[in-house]
Amino acid sequence: MTHPSTPTVGESAAAGTWLDAGAADEVWQGEMVGVSVGGAEVLLLGLDGGVRAYEDKCPHNGGLLSKGEFCDGVVVCTRHQWEFCARTGVGLNPADTKLKEIPIRVVSGRIEVLVEDGAAR
Amino acid sequence: MSKKTFVIVGAGQAGGQAVQTLLSEGFDGRIVVVGDERHVPYERPALSKEVLLHGEPQSASALMLPAAFYEDKGVELRLSCRASAIDREHKRVVLGGGGIGYDKLLLATGSRPRALNIPGADLDGVRFLRTIDDSVALHRCMKEGARVVIVGGGFIGLEAAAAARSMGCEVTVLEMHPNLLQRIAAPHLGRLYEDLHRANGVEIRVSSVAIGMLGNSRVEHVICSDGTMIPADVVLVGVGVVPNVELARDAGLNVEDGIVVDEFGRTSDPDIFAAGDVACHTNEYVGRRVRLESWENARNQSIGAAKAMCGRGTPYCDVPWFWSDQFDVNMQMLGLPDRWDDAVVRGDRSEMKFTVFYLRQGQIVGASMVNRGGDVTPTRKMMRERRIVDPKLLTDQAHPLRRMAASA
């Protein structure tokens, strides 16, 4: 279930919409969860006391990263063992790749992510 | 003194990886890549999966780097070009229109599909799957309702069968051994894949040998050893590969089942290296000399060889790792066990989410993860450390594998 929130003026400069992605306290530190937001698959990671968001899609061949593992600051797509730094999204193995970061904000305890228009797949 | 020239023969994944590593190691000499395909280096795993399914090479990261990358870095690509000999005395690679002198040479010539020596195997419509062009051409033949016969129930044949079935083809797989994946997996896994393919509508015929093909210029039937004639619009032959060792052998390098290299990718000539499908190395985890036909070996052996070419070798030897994707099943395998005295299962076979560990004298010598990729990293760690493990803990899902791997 997703609930579009009212975009704040000046914050939706990119061609996208801020959409609700659930309660911030539901993403535990050190854990990750995949959510479907406005048709986009989003990976939420509890890290450094906050929440980060990436496209829930391995750049290798599109597997859901949320089905993989998140351990010691590393996200692993367990289909083919590609590894990414949870903090930056940068590929660790192989190194020449990067997860797509999704802008995120927390408003009144709710997570909102900026979903690009037409991001549904 | 003029700058050095490093020549790489073979523009597959290992060749492309070597270029990247030479550049990242700061090699500032001349790099020449000779490849007999028309494409810049690319990875092959997707060719029997996404590329075959969609017919689009770009659809699945098959291309490693765009042609512009090589141009920007001043790397010379000699594509659609075949090296015919190595003149070790003068340190030259002989090409059709001349030659190139080298200071160091990397042979990443890969492998080619094994031919089927039966009558009719040269008919039109009998195909192989090795290159991007093969995959795209095969995709075009796999129209809905097309009758596809696949000779060989190994990874390539089965992945292609899954893709063909997903495209609505009528698919038959012939495997000469009693079990699918005979060469690489334990019999129970072969049977599991037999069930998986049958459930998806693929006709699987094990212990079935193709002895001929019939047709008027185009293949129309495959004849089996029991006399059965299977109608075919297209036939894919997937009966393994043969390493492209001819250049090395003719040059007098040490060649067995592949070009023999040490842990730095060095051949018996200190200025010539080899990596990828074509090279065989002594693998201390397997306990014998192996030639690995895998994505990871093409990558890491090539990295090791390229570094050694720059004089900064780090030994390469690891627990072999393979994967295969068929329908919705992802299988990953560690090791190449040929003997074990115990096999235990973690997880649920009926839900197609389990790992089998093969143990010998208390050590994990191999493992197969079916839809349980998360078990790979901790298992590999324990295998690298040759840990003596408690089989009961391996099967106890309440006991995280990671914790088991972390504890010394």
Side-chain angles (χ1 to χ4, degrees), chain B residues 294-324:
Chain B
S294 74
W295 175 89
E296 189 183 53
N297 181 65
R299 173 185 166 80
N300 290 345
Q301 198 171 38
S302 179
I303 290 173
K307 285 184 176 176
M309 288 165 80
C310 296
R312 286 186 287 277
T314 45
Y316 160 73
C317 183
D318 203 351
V319 173
W321 169 61
F322 311 88
W323 80 78
S324 178

Side-chain angles (χ1 to χ4, degrees), chain A residues 2 21 33 41 74 78 85 87 96 107 109 115 118-119:
Chain A
T2 59
V33 60
E41 301 300 328
V74 176
T78 50
C85 171
R87 202 155 277 125
D96 48 1
V107 179
V115 175

Side-chain angles (χ1 to χ4, degrees), chain A residues 59-61 69 71-72 76 78-83 92-96, chain B residues 20 43 50 60-61 295 299 321 323 325 328 330 332 373-374 376-377 402:
Chain A
H60 182 211
N61 63 1
E69 297 215 328
C71 190
D72 301 330
V76 183
T78 50
R79 278 186 82 82
H80 306 108
Q81 311 298 329
W82 280 35
E83 296 176 350
L92 301 173
N93 186 16
D96 48 1
Chain B
Q20 289 184 50
E43 298 181 0
E50 297 87 351
S61 75
W295 175 89
R299 173 185 166 80
W321 169 61
W323 80 78
D325 295 311
D328 55 353
N330 167 258
Q332 300 180 51
V376 171
T377 302
R402 271 184 196 280

Side-chain angles (χ1 to χ4, degrees), chain B residues 231-274:
Chain B
D233 298 306
V234 58
V235 175
L236 171 65
V237 178
V239 293
V241 296
V242 180
N244 295 320
V245 296
E246 288 77 1
L247 274 182
R249 194 190 53 210
D250 295 349
L253 298 177
N254 186 9
V255 170
E256 290 183 5
D257 171 37
I259 305 170
V260 177
V261 298
D262 66 9
E263 64 271 37
F264 299 101
R266 281 183 302 224
T267 68
S268 50
D269 180 326
D271 292 320
I272 304 180
F273 297 73

Side-chain angles (χ1 to χ4, degrees), chain B residues 92-255:
Chain B
R92 287 180 73 77
V93 175
V94 182
L95 305 173
I100 313 164
Y102 63 81
D103 292 288
K104 303 275 183 205
L105 171 64
L106 175 67
L107 297 174
T109 45
S111 55
R112 59 180 179 272
R114 189 186 301 278
L116 205 56
N117 285 318
I118 60 173
D122 55 348
L123 287 166
D124 282 352
V126 179
R127 296 182 167 275
F128 296 93
L129 179 50
R130 175 71 189 170
T131 67
I132 282 189
D133 294 349
D134 290 343
S135 181
V136 172
L138 192 59
H139 168 85
R140 293 199 183 116
C141 299
M142 289 181 167
K143 295 186 170 64
E144 193 171 349
R147 295 164 304 179
V148 178
V149 178
I150 295 171
V151 181
F155 280 147
I156 290 290
L158 292 179
E159 289 184 355
R165 193 67 200 121
S166 303
M167 284 185 267
C169 300
E170 286 177 32
V171 185
T172 306
V173 175
L174 305 180
E175 167 56 50
M176 65 188 287
H177 293 108
N179 290 296
L180 299 176
L181 300 173
Q182 174 94 13
R183 198 166 59 101
I184 193 144
H188 69 94
L189 283 173
R191 288 193 290 275
L192 179 137
Y193 274 90
E194 203 175 319
D195 292 344
L196 171 70
H197 278 262
R198 289 213 170 107
N200 281 280
V202 176
E203 187 176 347
I204 301 281
R205 298 172 74 105
V206 292
S207 302
S208 188
V209 180
I211 57 166
M213 301 190 199
L214 289 177
N216 294 315
S217 81
R218 265 199 81 79
V219 67
E220 290 168 18
H221 287 93
V222 177
I223 313 165
C224 301
S225 47
D226 65 358
T228 314
M229 303 255 288
I230 304 171
D233 298 306
V234 58
V235 175
L236 171 65
V237 178
V239 293
V241 296
V242 180
N244 295 320
V245 296
E246 288 77 1
L247 274 182
R249 194 190 53 210
D250 295 349
L253 298 177
N254 186 9
V255 170

Side-chain angles (χ1 to χ4, degrees), chain A residues 96, chain B residues 15-25 64-65 69-70:
Chain A
D96 48 1
Chain B
Q17 181 62 57
V19 173
Q20 289 184 50
T21 303
L22 290 177
L23 293 172
S24 64
E25 288 291 303
M64 296 170 74
L65 292 162
F69 170 86
Y70 297 92

